[in-house]
């Protein structure tokens, strides 16, 4: 459904208004999005407007208009034949591969998951980039296949087609390279436009806070969660948000093919506690929203069984097969891309790991080639970081903390100083903070 906007639109005035911190009218936002997707707005003007929004903000009603106009800026996916379909979205994290664990779990419980995922943004990873490290895996699927796969196996993870939410594609890639990612209304509109266009009735959001999140402060993440939930319910969706800490990387691996290995290990029952905890939380919220069940303990117990008895692993295998990937990677990780070089970073002294800055680790992986700096950069799926000790762990001087996988020999010089500043060791055991906070 596309809306026709007839008013004349002047981009210079539009930027100027936001520069002065004024509120845009819904019709102006509609006209901007329309011009943007027609290719009438040059990147430099869009970038200027994005920075004005980043600096001066937007009201909740502006963010809602922006989300709505973006959602309907192209085609939308019709999931009305799957009224209990559930979707999830994370606001971006480091080592966050929960979609690839939660989605097979939810599908195992009989709740269809048709998820349009994103790519790496800034220092955070993207589900599509992770999946594409599986040889042959296709993330661009025709609508007929998406529907058939949803019927056959109840699970699809794909990229939005080029005509879905074109406004977000333009804004997202420009934000990534103009330091305008960390804006509450821009994140809210970006996430919600995709969720609305994706068609699922039931939506669970994982809103991150902390060092490795776009929102550093819990209060900002809370504000973002509130705006997104309000946009979702105003636009007719059942929606719920979970707030989770992103101070340290989630799980043990950061980097595309390394994260796929960790997903498979988790689905084989060998998951790291924090990753399993958050995946089960998100999966249970998706199931409860879609099925109206209210006994969370019972739902989590059911999902735990799918993890323990291999049902969710089989679902992930079905997903790989259905989307053209090589399922042999499940038993042979050697078939995934791997790097030429490995560097082992050891503890500089004995003590407890008190900090492992997620943002630094995510940024290092991005520099090694695991993320993008320019819109058209090609991701290197093999690079990344494998974490052997997590915050709270006791370590001896000289013990292996992290392995770094890389392909460009000149990167060796940056690894050591980068990790030295991102990992702190103290004499006293740090207080354990909970990963998930109630909204
Ligand atoms: N995830 C998105 O989809 N959009 C953002 O802007 C940030 C995280």
């Amino acid at each position: 459904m596309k809306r026709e906007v007839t008013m004349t639109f002047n981009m210079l005035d539009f930027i100027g208004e936001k520069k002065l911190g004024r509120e845009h009218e819904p019709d102006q936002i509609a006209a901007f999005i329309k011009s943007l997707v027609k290719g009438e707005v040059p990147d430099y003007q869009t970038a200027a407007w994005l920075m004005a929004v980043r600096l001066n903000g937007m009201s909740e009603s502006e963010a809602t208009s922006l989300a709505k106009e973006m959602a309907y800026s192209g085609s939308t996916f019709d999931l009305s034949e799957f009224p209990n379909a559930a979707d999830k979205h994370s606001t971006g994290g480091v080592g966050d591969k929960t979609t690839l664990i939660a989605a097979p779990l939810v599908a195992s419980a009989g709740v269809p998951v048709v998820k349009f995922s994103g790519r790496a943004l800034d220092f955070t990873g993207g589900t599509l980039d992770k999946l594409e490290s599986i040889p042959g895996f296709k993330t661009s699927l025709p609508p007929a296949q998406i529907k058939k796969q949803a019927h056959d196996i109840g699970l699809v993870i794909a990229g939005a087609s080029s005509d879905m939410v074109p406004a977000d594609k333009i804004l997202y890639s420009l934000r990534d390279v103009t330091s305008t990612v960390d804006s509450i209304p821009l994140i809210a509109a970006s996430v919600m436009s995709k969720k609305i266009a994706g068609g699922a009735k039931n939506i669970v959001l994982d809103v991150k806070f902390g060092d490795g999140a776009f929102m550093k402060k819990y209060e900002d993440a809370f504000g973002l969660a509130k705006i997104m939930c309000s946009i979702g319910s105003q636009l007719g969706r059942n929606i719920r948000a979970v707030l989770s800490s992103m101070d340290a990387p989630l799980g043990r691996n950061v980097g595309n093919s390394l994260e796929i290995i960790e997903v498979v290990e988790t689905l084989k029952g060998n998951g790291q506690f924090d990753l399993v905890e958050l995946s089960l939380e998100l999966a249970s919220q998706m199931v409860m929203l879609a099925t109206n069940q209210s006994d969370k303990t019972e739902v989590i117990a059911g999902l735990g069984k799918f993890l323990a008895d291999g049902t969710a692993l089989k679902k992930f295998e079905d997903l790989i097969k259905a989307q053209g990937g090589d399922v042999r990677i499940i038993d042979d990780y050697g078939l995934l891309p791997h790097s030429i070089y490995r560097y082992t970073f050891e503890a500089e002294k004995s003590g407890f790991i008190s900090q492992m800055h997620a943002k630094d680790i995510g940024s290092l992986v991005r520099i090694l080639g695991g993320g993008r700096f320019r819109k058209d950069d090609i991701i290197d799926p093999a690079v990344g970081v494998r974490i052997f000790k997590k915050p709270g762990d006791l370590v001896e001087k000289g013990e292996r903390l992290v392995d770094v996988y890389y392909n460009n020999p000149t990167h060796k010089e940056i690894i050591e100083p980068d990790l030295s500043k991102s990992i702190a060791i103290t004499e006293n055991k740090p207080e354990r903070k909970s990963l998930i906070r109630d909204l």
Side-chain angles (χ1 to χ4, degrees):
M1 191 199 357
K2 283 188 189 167
R3 282 214 305 145
E4 283 308 316
V5 179
T6 48
M7 70 182 290
T8 53
F9 174 68
N10 181 324
M11 187 64 194
L12 215 51
D13 291 348
F14 193 65
I15 300 168
E17 265 188 8
K18 207 26 89 186
K19 180 180 78 179
L20 298 175
R22 296 199 183 126
E23 190 165 339
H24 296 311
E25 293 297 326
D27 273 358
Q28 290 177 305
I29 292 175
F32 164 59
I33 293 298
K34 195 160 184 278
S35 299
L36 183 77
V37 297
K38 274 177 150 176
E40 291 169 358
V41 187
D43 280 359
Y44 54 83
Q45 286 192 323
T46 308
W49 177 77
L50 287 169
M51 186 54 82
V53 172
R54 165 64 185 83
L55 297 176
N56 291 328
M58 271 185 158
S59 67
E60 190 168 321
S61 93
E62 281 178 294
T64 307
S65 295
L66 184 62
K68 188 165 125 226
E69 296 305 331
M70 286 167 69
Y72 296 107
S73 62
S75 67
T76 54
F77 204 81
D78 179 11
L79 276 180
S80 50
E81 63 196 279
F82 302 97
N84 66 338
D87 194 354
K88 89 163 256 290
H89 198 95
S90 146
T91 56
V94 177
D96 180 4
K97 65 281 289 174
T98 51
T99 288
L100 298 175
I101 299 158
L105 279 168
V106 173
S108 299
V111 171
V113 180
V114 178
K115 179 160 168 33
F116 296 100
S117 281
R119 298 198 174 274
L121 183 65
D122 204 323
F123 57 88
T124 67
T127 301
L128 295 183
D129 297 319
K130 292 172 203 190
L131 283 170
E132 284 174 0
S133 64
I134 301 174
F137 195 98
K138 290 181 201 59
T139 56
S140 169
L141 305 178
Q145 179 179 343
I146 295 179
K147 293 237 170 122
K148 181 172 183 320
Q149 202 173 307
H151 276 292
D152 292 350
I153 63 166
L155 178 58
V156 185
I157 304 178
S161 63
S162 58
D163 57 348
M164 261 172 89
V165 208
D168 185 61
K169 292 199 177 69
I170 302 169
L171 296 177
Y172 198 86
S173 58
L174 275 175
R175 285 168 58 214
D176 197 19
V177 291
T178 55
S179 193
T180 53
V181 169
D182 58 345
S183 149
I184 291 182
L186 293 179
I187 296 177
S190 164
V191 169
M192 291 314 300
S193 61
K194 286 177 288 211
K195 298 298 97 181
I196 299 301
K201 178 81 180 161
N202 307 291
I203 301 168
V204 172
L205 303 170
D206 179 12
V207 184
K208 309 285 194 188
F209 61 90
D211 176 71
F214 296 128
M215 300 295 110
K216 305 294 171 213
K217 293 195 275 182
Y218 171 80
E219 294 69 29
D220 289 339
F222 182 84
L224 175 61
K226 261 188 60 197
I227 291 191
M228 292 196 290
C229 288
S230 149
I231 295 174
S233 38
Q234 282 184 60
L235 300 178
R237 305 303 155 102
N238 301 324
I239 184 160
R240 212 171 261 188
V242 169
L243 282 148
S244 70
S245 163
M246 194 22 87
D247 278 330
L250 203 52
R252 293 207 178 265
N253 291 5
V254 184
N256 296 295
S257 67
L258 286 168
E259 292 194 41
I260 293 294
I261 296 174
E262 188 168 19
V263 165
V264 175
E265 280 299 310
T266 305
L267 294 172
K268 285 178 179 171
N270 307 320
Q272 173 71 22
F273 178 77
D274 56 352
L275 181 60
V276 174
E277 182 189 14
L278 185 56
S279 302
L280 282 174
E281 173 71 26
L282 295 168
S284 64
Q285 295 291 354
M286 289 164 81
V287 170
M288 288 192 294
L289 208 55
T291 60
N292 281 325
Q293 290 181 75
S294 56
D295 188 338
K296 188 167 161 189
T297 316
E298 201 176 289
V299 172
I300 290 202
L303 295 171
K305 256 182 61 203
F306 296 139
L307 209 50
D309 69 8
T311 307
L313 178 65
K314 172 72 175 56
K315 211 33 113 178
F316 188 58
E317 190 179 330
D318 292 346
L319 173 82
I320 297 176
K321 196 185 280 169
Q323 295 189 211
D326 186 346
V327 287
R328 293 175 304 160
I329 63 112
I330 295 212
D331 295 311
D332 183 358
Y333 302 144
L335 294 169
L336 288 164
H338 45 274
S339 71
I340 305 171
Y341 306 106
R342 187 181 70 188
Y343 178 91
T344 296
F345 180 78
E346 295 167 353
E348 286 156 355
K349 59 180 180 182
S350 300
F352 291 94
I353 307 272
S354 58
Q355 244 157 9
M356 184 168 275
H357 288 289
K359 182 173 177 187
D360 290 343
I361 306 260
S363 302
L364 173 62
V365 173
R366 186 188 194 194
I367 292 170
L368 299 177
R372 297 180 184 81
F373 286 92
R374 290 198 323 224
K375 285 198 280 186
D376 43 6
D377 280 348
I378 310 257
I379 295 256
D380 181 346
V383 301
V385 167
R386 207 164 151 218
I387 298 161
F388 293 90
K389 297 285 173 186
K390 299 266 292 179
D393 285 349
L394 183 61
V395 296
E396 293 290 327
K397 183 172 189 289
E399 217 179 325
R400 173 164 67 167
L401 300 186
V402 160
D403 272 353
V404 181
Y405 296 85
Y406 61 106
N407 277 323
N408 178 341
T410 64
H411 284 152
K412 186 165 179 215
E413 287 154 34
I414 54 160
I415 295 172
E416 162 99 41
D418 257 39
L419 288 175
S420 295
K421 73 173 169 48
S422 44
I423 302 174
I425 298 177
T426 52
E427 253 175 53
N428 299 322
K429 191 170 168 67
E431 198 188 317
R432 188 179 181 275
K433 295 191 199 133
S434 57
L435 176 66
I436 300 166
R437 284 232 218 136
D438 286 335
L439 191 61

